[in-house]
Amino acid sequence: MIEFHYATIQDKPWIDQLLQNSGARGCEYTFTNLFAWSDLYQLQVAEVEGCLTCFMTGVIGPCYLYPVGGDSRSAVLALREDAAQRGEPFRLACLSSQRREELEGWFPGCFDFQEDRPGFDYLYDIQRLATLAGKKLHGKRNHINKFVSEHPEWSVEPITPDNLTECLDMNRRWHQENAQEDDSATFEEDGVALKKCMAHYPQMGLDGLLLRSEGKVLAFTLGERMGESDTYDVHFEKAFAQVPGAYPLINREFARWVQQHYPQVRYLNREDDMGVEGLRQAKKSYYPDLLLEKYSAILQKELI
């Protein structure tokens, strides 16, 4: 069997290298998510035929992340053999529409494809989020104006080791305030994932921005550019809901920060909604420019 293992910070260089020119836009294809969410999804990584893949537990059961970065066809065949040795059905997860067509072209009629709507990523034109122009987003501008009027001395600053503990404290209070409304495993794991990233913040290579007023951190966000693609992944965003305008303001300011530091970026990937209705409506309220479709592939007949 293939020797999969849970990712450690020492795995970051080779994982980043394989993803560098893979063209993958899905939020699963970042070291941060493979590392931070490994406990919830039992994610274990491996390099197979020059590709990054992982063995994990998804909504469809034990499955493999669709391999990217190398010889994907050979990697699929190797993963099929690994599944047989494990005595598991062969399932692939997180296929984009392009990867779905690729797999069907190699092995016509061998897979049953299932749409994974909760896993669709929401992508937004960065210029639109940086300006919030247009009638559709006038509500966001109004919320920001309210915040600015109530907090005229507000400021933003990059997250560094010097202010990292303030973000951790804000995150702790955020979780305490929202725990009664959301007692799901995903909510708890979100806190675990964030702490894991912050514990290794200097080594993770993440960008971060915090929003401050009267000396207190009211919101922060963390993200990273996805290889050499035109897409930037926003991994975490926290703000106090009882502070009107904090969410749209940190969203807008981070879009402007990314635009300034990564002029090649066209889209912000604000990741999926996990099927959570409140999260789905929040992401829809910014009117995504692209919904990155994802599919699962389940083997129906032996590979040709």
Side-chain angles (χ1 to χ4, degrees):
M1 290 191 294
I2 297 170
E3 294 186 9
F4 288 91
H5 66 278
Y6 286 97
T8 69
I9 197 67
Q10 286 73 34
D11 290 300
K12 180 174 169 57
W14 70 263
I15 289 177
D16 285 349
Q17 182 63 38
L18 292 181
L19 292 176
Q20 187 73 11
N21 297 302
S22 68
R25 280 177 164 172
C27 64
E28 300 81 10
Y29 293 98
T30 62
F31 172 78
T32 297
N33 282 337
L34 294 173
F35 175 71
W37 293 90
S38 60
D39 293 336
L40 179 62
Y41 297 107
Q42 299 178 341
L43 292 164
Q44 299 184 61
V45 299
E47 180 177 349
V48 179
E49 299 292 342
C51 292
L52 169 69
T53 186
C54 74
F55 184 63
M56 58 189 178
T57 301
V59 294
I60 59 174
C63 57
Y64 301 89
L65 182 68
Y66 188 80
V68 301
D71 185 348
S72 296
R73 187 182 187 281
S74 295
V76 168
L77 292 171
L79 294 176
R80 168 67 187 103
E81 178 62 24
D82 186 76
Q85 293 174 357
R86 294 174 185 270
E88 295 281 357
F90 183 40
R91 309 179 183 99
L92 294 165
C94 304
L95 285 75
S96 65
S97 298
Q98 179 183 355
R99 305 293 188 187
R100 171 183 171 171
E101 293 176 5
E102 179 179 75
L103 186 65
E104 178 63 18
W106 290 333
F107 310 108
C110 293
F111 288 93
D112 175 48
F113 295 96
Q114 299 179 0
E115 181 183 274
D116 177 20
R117 177 59 185 85
F120 284 18
D121 284 355
Y122 293 73
L123 273 66
Y124 306 83
D125 184 281
I126 192 170
Q127 176 65 14
R128 199 163 56 79
L129 290 194
T131 61
L132 296 177
K135 292 182 179 180
K136 289 183 177 180
L137 297 176
H138 75 277
K140 306 297 183 185
R141 298 195 300 273
N142 288 341
H143 288 309
I144 289 175
N145 290 337
K146 180 176 177 59
F147 179 95
V148 171
S149 67
E150 295 179 351
H151 304 270
E153 76 300 336
W154 70 274
S155 63
V156 292
E157 62 193 68
I159 297 175
T160 68
D162 293 333
N163 55 31
L164 192 62
T165 54
E166 293 181 89
C167 294
L168 282 168
D169 182 62
M170 182 261 168
N171 181 64
R172 178 185 56 78
R173 289 183 286 125
W174 184 92
H175 271 267
Q176 288 175 343
E177 294 177 6
N178 290 275
Q180 291 183 344
E181 298 180 13
D182 190 342
D183 60 356
S184 67
T186 302
F187 177 81
E188 291 299 324
E189 286 296 333
D190 175 80
V192 173
L194 180 57
K195 290 178 183 177
K196 199 171 181 180
C197 289
M198 288 189 164
H200 300 277
Y201 189 71
Q203 299 97 336
M204 293 291 292
L206 293 170
D207 303 310
L209 198 71
L210 65 81
L211 171 64
R212 190 189 296 278
S213 177
E214 297 180 351
K216 298 178 181 178
V217 176
L218 300 180
F220 69 86
T221 186
L222 295 170
E224 66 181 310
R225 186 181 176 193
M226 301 187 71
E228 294 296 326
S229 74
D230 62 355
T231 304
Y232 188 99
D233 194 341
V234 181
H235 292 300
F236 299 99
E237 183 180 87
K238 302 292 168 122
F240 289 124
Q242 71 272 25
V243 181
Y247 265 118
L249 183 55
I250 192 63
N251 187 327
R252 186 194 72 180
E253 291 302 303
F254 196 50
R256 292 178 175 181
W257 188 94
V258 173
Q259 201 172 38
Q260 178 182 358
H261 291 81
Y262 301 95
Q264 310 92 333
V265 167
R266 180 179 178 186
Y267 294 106
L268 290 181
N269 182 344
R270 294 183 59 81
E271 302 196 345
D272 55 49
D273 60 39
M274 299 178 288
V276 178
E277 188 58 31
L279 192 55
R280 179 169 296 184
Q281 293 308 314
K283 292 180 185 291
K284 282 185 174 181
S285 72
Y286 279 93
Y287 300 94
D289 295 280
L290 292 174
L291 271 180
L292 182 62
E293 298 178 358
K294 296 179 191 175
Y295 299 87
S296 300
I298 303 173
L299 187 68
Q300 297 298 301
K301 67 178 184 180
E302 201 48 62
L303 301 181
I304 301 172

